[in-house]
């Protein structure tokens, strides 16, 4: 015990050692182990920080001296006996001695080469760059955004070929489900047959485009008319099955086309399959009308957009500014064959008809009431535009066409109907135009008689009396149209598009022009009826009315004439190369007044019945009776399309 005790005390510092700095050492002596460790680490950090501080502020030296260029003499270069180490194996990014010597040896020839090049650069021979490979048609279509547009595809077959390219573009993204919705009306018989014939070609073209269709492309088929028929409920890629479904459609004779009901049914039937396949979905409508159930448009558009379903249409153009269109049809009744243009509800290219539906009176201008608008009906075009599809024109109305580049500035507004109605509420000129157009739709406008038999005064007076009867009704109609348009005249300058301005000015100009013609027509008829003119030429037996620049109906009509010319001239000047300018020019090509010209006509039969009406021979009367009966049968048997 005494040894241990002695050892402990030997290790402790003696009081003499603590006397000099007793306070400091007493602190370290009593400090615990973790405190000493902390102090040691702090000291280390201080040392390291000081080293970093010193390193960060090492001054940088700027090189301000210049190295004088040194003349290089050839005799200073000596071939090295050792191999030069250059390139990636070199220790320095400099040229080795052997390379420098090689440069010197070739210097003289290099100078000669420079001189030769300078001479050649005076007239350099520029080589044509190699031509780049042209991308195939499907790749080009995929790169160019065409969705929401109207496209002239070159008939039904051309439209199907373009649809094939759209399918190919979709298949490059993911699997695709295509649903064909086919109008069952008789007017679409030929178009359905053409599509059935092209089904096989669709798959062939996709194969040529190196697009896999075996499991990636499925097709469903729906027919519609008065009712909707799901013809291929289970989507298939079997061509014979699909062709058989299309050719198995039964013609619907109701005259109804429930387009949007059919689309709603397609979404109900095929959306589950779209989700299961995780596929794109395309609806392809084949029709020649706008759909009798177009009140369902907004609901269908919203559903397609929500489900990411694109809608395409192969259809017909609307007539310019008009609701009704025509489809040529052939039919047979009681062994008699008929053909004619049947009026159908094609719908206007805008939300409401904006064209004043009044005929041209002069013979040179008749037939322009069937001019194509260049666009599909608003309902189907809006569906395609809102879902990212395309309206393909397979057939358009007869008549002149206009440059699509120019017409792009006059494209219809495909915003929702509620937005269109707001525009009418805000701008009185727009509302006035639509109201005037609606009046013209509901009224049948007569085309006046311009030729009058005048082998005696009684026949002439009777024909004039009959010709005057519709004039009273016509003037009342034109007065209402003019009043409706004038109500919006103060808002004309606030119209916000070229289409609206052109449509309003043309409507006002044509309404005024027709009133001037009607006033003048009635005035010259009344004058002739009161005091029939005498023929100056021997053998004349007919009076004809032809356009004249002379306005004889009074000062009020003259002012109306000047205003009509002002509006129509403005259309021609402000909207060149458009349908509006064309119609305005046609209206002004013939003066608005009238004058009489005598002529000769053949009068059937030799006598007069009751002193007034021509008397026909029995054989001629029988032929006329047969023609009337045929016409009655034709009118009665007209098919509903």
């Amino acid at each position: 015990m005494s040894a241990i005790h002695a050892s402990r005390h030997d290790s402790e510092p003696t009081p003499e050692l603590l006397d000099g700095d007793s306070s400091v050492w007493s602190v370290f002596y009593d400090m615990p182990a973790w405190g000493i460790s902390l102090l040691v680490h702090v000291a280390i950090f201080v040392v390291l920080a000081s080293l970093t501080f010193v390193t960060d502020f090492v001054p940088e030296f700027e090189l301000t001296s210049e190295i004088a260029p040194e003349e290089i003499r050839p005799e200073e270069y000596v071939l090295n006996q050792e191999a030069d180490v250059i390139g990636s194996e070199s220790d320095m990014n400099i040229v080795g001695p052997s390379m420098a010597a090689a440069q010197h040896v070739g210097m003289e020839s290099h100078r000669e080469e420079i001189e030769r090049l300078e001479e050649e650069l005076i007239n350099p021979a520029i080589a044509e760059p190699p031509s780049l490979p042209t991308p195939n048609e499907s790749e080009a279509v995929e790169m160019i955004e065409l969705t929401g547009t109207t496209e002239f595809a070159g008939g039904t077959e051309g439209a199907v070929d373009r649809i094939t390219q759209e399918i190919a573009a979709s298949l490059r993204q993911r699997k695709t489900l295509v649903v064909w919705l086919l109008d069952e009306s008789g007017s679409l018989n030929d178009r359905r047959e053409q599509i059935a014939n092209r089904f096989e070609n669709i798959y062939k073209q996709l194969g040529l485009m190196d697009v896999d269709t075996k499991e990636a492309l499925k097709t469903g088929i729906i027919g519609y008319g008065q009712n909707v028929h799901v013809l291929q409920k289970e989507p298939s890629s079997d061509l014979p099955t699909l062709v058989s479904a299309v050719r198995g459609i039964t013609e619907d004779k109701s005259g109804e086309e429930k387009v949007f009901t059919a689309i709603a049914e397609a979404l109900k039937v095929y959306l589950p399959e779209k989700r299961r396949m995780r596929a794109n979905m395309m609806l392809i409508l084949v029709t020649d009308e706008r759909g009798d159930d177009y009140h369902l448009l907004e609901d269908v558009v919203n559903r397609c957009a929500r489900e990411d379903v694109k809608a395409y249409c192969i259809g017909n153009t609307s007539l310019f500014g008009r609701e009704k269109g025509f489809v040529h049809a052939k039919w047979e009744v009681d062994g008699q064959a008929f053909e004619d243009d049947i009026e159908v509800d094609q719908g206007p290219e805008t939300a409401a008809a904006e064209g004043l539906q009044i005929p041209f009176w002069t013979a040179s201008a008749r037939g322009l009431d069937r001019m194509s608008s260049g666009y599909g009906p608003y309902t189907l075009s809006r569906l395609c535009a809102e879902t990212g599809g395309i309206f393909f024109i397979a057939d358009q109305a007869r008549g002149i066409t206009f440059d699509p580049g120019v017409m792009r500035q006059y494209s219809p507004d495909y915003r929702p109907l509620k937005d269109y109605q707001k525009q009418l509420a805000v701008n009185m000129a727009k509302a006035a135009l639509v109201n005037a157009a609606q009046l013209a739709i509901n009224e049948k406008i007569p085309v006046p008689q311009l030729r009058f038999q005048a082998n005696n005064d009684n026949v002439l007076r009777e024909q004039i009396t009959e010709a005057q009867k519709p004039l009273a009704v016509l003037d009342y109609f034109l007065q209402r149209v003019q009043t409706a348009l004038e109500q919006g005249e103060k808002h004309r300058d606030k119209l916000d598009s070229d289409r609206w301005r052109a449509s309003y000015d043309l409507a006002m100009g044509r309404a005024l022009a027709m009133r001037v013609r009607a006033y003048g027509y009635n005035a010259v008829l009344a004058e002739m009826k009161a005091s029939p003119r005498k023929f100056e030429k021997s053998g004349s037996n007919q009076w004809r009315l032809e356009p004249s620049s002379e306005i004889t109906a009074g000062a009020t009509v003259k002012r109306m004439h000047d205003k009509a010319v002002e509006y129509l001239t403005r259309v021609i000047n402000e909207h060149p190369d458009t349908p509006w300018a064309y119609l305005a020019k046609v209206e002004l090509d013939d003066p608005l007044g009238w004058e009489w010209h005598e002529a000769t006509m053949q009068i059937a039969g030799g006598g007069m019945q009751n002193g007034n009406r021509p008397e026909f021979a029995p054989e001629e009367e029988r032929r006329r009776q047969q023609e009337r009966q045929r016409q009655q049968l034709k009118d009665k048997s007209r098919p509903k399309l």
Side-chain angles (χ1 to χ4, degrees):
M1 287 292 294
S2 61
I4 297 173
H5 181 73
S7 174
R8 183 178 65 84
H9 284 278
D10 292 341
S11 63
E12 292 178 356
T14 62
E16 290 79 11
L17 293 173
L18 297 173
D19 286 342
D21 198 5
S22 60
S23 61
V24 175
W25 287 107
S26 63
V27 171
F28 281 104
Y29 184 79
D30 295 332
M31 183 178 293
W34 64 268
I36 295 173
S37 175
L38 177 61
L39 287 174
V40 172
H41 282 85
V42 169
I44 293 172
F45 283 134
V46 171
V47 172
L48 293 175
S50 64
L51 291 174
T52 305
F53 177 80
V54 172
T55 305
D56 287 342
F57 285 87
V58 173
E60 296 182 1
F61 295 97
E62 295 183 3
L63 295 176
T64 57
S65 62
E66 296 181 357
I67 300 176
E70 186 177 44
E71 184 179 354
I72 301 175
R73 291 176 296 178
E75 57 268 19
E76 293 181 2
Y77 287 93
V78 182
L79 290 176
N80 195 343
Q81 299 298 324
E82 297 179 358
D84 296 328
V85 181
I86 60 175
S88 61
E89 298 296 328
S90 174
D91 293 332
M92 299 177 66
N93 190 21
I94 60 174
V95 179
S98 62
M99 181 62 72
Q103 289 178 349
H104 169 70
V105 171
M107 185 60 67
E108 292 301 326
S109 61
H110 179 62
R111 290 194 182 97
E112 295 176 0
E113 182 68 13
I114 291 175
E115 292 175 0
R116 185 183 64 81
L117 288 175
E118 287 176 349
E119 292 177 359
E120 291 183 356
L121 285 174
I122 297 175
N123 296 304
I126 301 174
E128 293 186 5
S131 59
L132 298 176
T134 304
N136 62 48
E137 189 176 11
S138 63
E139 291 173 341
V141 170
E142 188 177 16
M143 290 185 292
I144 300 174
E145 181 62 41
L146 294 173
T147 57
T149 63
T150 298
E151 184 174 327
F152 291 87
T156 300
E157 294 182 351
V160 174
D161 290 342
R162 279 289 290 109
I163 286 288
T164 303
Q165 296 170 16
E166 293 295 313
I167 295 173
S170 177
L171 284 170
R172 289 191 178 95
Q173 296 175 349
R174 60 171 69 180
K175 294 179 180 180
T176 300
L177 174 59
V178 178
V179 181
W180 291 78
L181 299 99
L182 305 169
D183 186 343
E184 296 176 339
S185 60
S187 60
L188 267 291
N189 286 337
D190 292 342
R191 192 173 298 176
R192 288 195 302 269
E193 183 65 22
Q194 287 177 311
I195 288 173
N197 293 336
R198 301 293 285 185
F199 261 105
E200 184 176 357
N201 194 57
I202 291 175
Y203 283 83
K204 284 183 178 179
Q205 287 190 44
L206 291 173
L208 293 174
M209 296 177 192
D210 295 327
V211 178
D212 180 23
T213 60
K214 186 175 182 181
E215 294 297 332
L217 177 62
K218 298 291 184 181
T219 302
I221 297 175
I222 285 179
Y224 64 89
Q226 187 176 32
N227 300 303
V228 178
H229 307 103
V230 181
L231 305 174
Q232 186 63 45
K233 186 173 183 180
E234 186 67 29
S236 174
S237 58
D238 182 65
L239 282 176
T241 301
L242 300 175
V243 172
S244 176
V246 174
R247 290 187 170 143
I249 289 178
T250 302
E251 182 179 327
D252 185 295
K253 298 183 179 181
S254 67
E256 295 185 48
E257 288 83 18
K258 295 187 176 178
V259 175
F260 298 97
T261 302
I263 296 174
E265 184 66 16
L267 296 175
K268 176 183 176 182
V269 172
Y270 296 107
L271 275 178
E273 182 66 15
K274 172 187 183 294
R275 298 187 186 108
R276 187 193 67 79
M277 291 176 61
R278 297 183 179 179
N280 292 333
M281 184 169 172
M282 299 169 59
L283 302 178
I284 304 174
L285 293 153
V286 181
T287 185
D288 55 7
E289 299 186 38
R290 66 170 166 179
D292 295 295
D293 54 350
Y294 59 86
H295 61 280
L296 300 175
L297 169 65
E298 295 304 324
D299 179 60
V300 166
V301 165
N302 291 334
R303 290 184 62 188
C304 287
R306 186 169 59 249
E307 298 290 347
D308 192 24
V309 175
K310 286 187 176 183
Y312 297 82
C313 185
I314 301 175
N316 293 15
T317 56
S318 295
L319 292 186
F320 180 68
R322 297 170 178 257
E323 284 190 351
K324 302 297 183 181
F326 297 89
V327 173
H328 193 74
K330 297 179 181 180
W331 69 99
E332 187 174 321
V333 179
D334 296 339
Q336 298 189 59
F338 300 100
E339 64 176 294
D340 202 355
D341 290 338
I342 307 297
E343 189 177 70
V344 296
D345 187 14
Q346 285 184 334
E349 75 273 23
T350 48
E354 297 170 3
L356 194 59
Q357 189 171 315
I358 55 178
F360 288 90
W361 280 10
T362 55
S364 61
R366 290 177 188 171
L368 292 178
D369 53 348
R370 297 194 182 188
M371 190 166 64
S372 170
S373 69
Y375 296 95
Y378 164 82
T379 53
L380 298 177
S381 297
R382 168 163 162 70
L383 172 67
C384 295
E386 285 292 325
T387 60
I390 302 173
F391 187 98
F392 295 105
I393 295 176
D395 185 23
Q396 70 168 332
R398 298 186 297 272
I400 62 171
T401 58
F402 298 90
D403 183 358
V406 174
M407 291 303 296
R408 193 172 294 115
Q409 186 177 344
Y410 298 84
S411 296
D413 188 345
Y414 293 135
R415 286 179 291 180
L417 184 59
K418 61 180 181 180
D419 292 345
Y420 185 86
Q421 292 170 338
K422 288 179 182 177
Q423 295 181 57
L424 302 186
V426 171
N427 189 290
M428 293 180 63
K430 292 182 179 181
L433 176 61
V434 172
N435 289 338
Q438 195 62 40
L439 285 172
I441 290 173
N442 297 329
E443 298 275 353
K444 185 172 179 62
I445 313 302
V447 175
Q449 179 180 342
L450 300 179
R451 299 184 180 189
F452 299 87
Q453 181 179 330
N455 51 316
N456 64 60
D457 290 347
N458 289 334
V459 171
L460 177 61
R461 286 192 175 97
E462 182 181 352
Q463 291 191 42
I464 289 176
T465 299
E466 293 298 317
Q468 285 179 313
K469 287 180 180 178
L471 263 294
V473 177
L474 174 63
D475 186 64
Y476 176 65
F477 160 75
L478 292 174
Q479 184 180 1
R480 285 186 296 155
V481 170
Q482 181 184 349
T483 301
L485 289 170
E486 287 177 342
Q487 288 177 350
E489 198 168 13
K490 62 182 180 181
H491 279 193
R492 186 268 169 202
D493 292 337
K494 297 180 181 179
L495 292 171
D496 55 5
S497 75
D498 289 334
R499 172 176 276 270
W500 279 112
R501 286 188 288 271
S503 297
Y504 181 87
D505 288 352
L506 179 64
M508 178 67 87
R510 289 212 61 210
L512 292 171
M514 181 166 278
R515 286 207 77 187
V516 173
R517 293 187 196 277
Y519 271 121
Y521 179 84
N522 199 36
V524 296
L525 286 186
E527 182 184 2
M528 177 67 83
K529 183 177 179 180
S531 179
R533 294 188 178 190
K534 302 300 181 182
F535 293 118
E536 296 180 358
K537 298 178 182 179
S538 175
S540 295
N541 60 359
Q542 182 189 57
W543 287 106
R544 294 183 181 179
L545 274 176
E546 295 182 4
S548 169
S549 58
E550 184 179 356
I551 306 299
T552 59
T556 301
V557 177
K558 183 66 170 64
R559 287 193 296 270
M560 197 179 298
H561 168 274
D562 294 342
K563 189 175 181 181
V565 172
E566 177 187 351
Y567 268 94
L568 294 171
T569 302
R570 181 161 59 187
V571 174
I572 295 170
N573 293 337
E574 295 184 0
H575 310 281
D577 303 321
T578 67
W580 296 272
Y582 182 84
L583 295 179
K585 186 176 183 302
V586 168
E587 189 74 76
L588 290 179
D589 278 347
D590 292 311
L592 306 186
W594 300 102
E595 63 184 7
W596 291 105
H597 291 264
E598 60 182 272
T600 303
M601 63 178 294
Q602 286 187 343
I603 300 176
M608 299 294 296
Q609 187 177 20
N610 299 326
N612 292 327
R613 299 184 183 279
E615 181 181 345
F616 299 104
E619 184 177 341
E620 176 68 14
E621 186 63 36
R622 193 163 44 248
R623 187 189 67 77
R624 287 173 174 267
Q625 179 65 22
Q626 291 175 350
E627 185 61 33
R628 285 194 294 268
Q629 292 176 349
R630 176 178 168 81
Q631 185 63 42
Q632 290 173 358
L633 179 61
K634 179 181 179 180
D635 294 339
K636 185 178 179 180
S637 63
R638 287 177 183 272
K640 296 180 179 180
L641 302 177

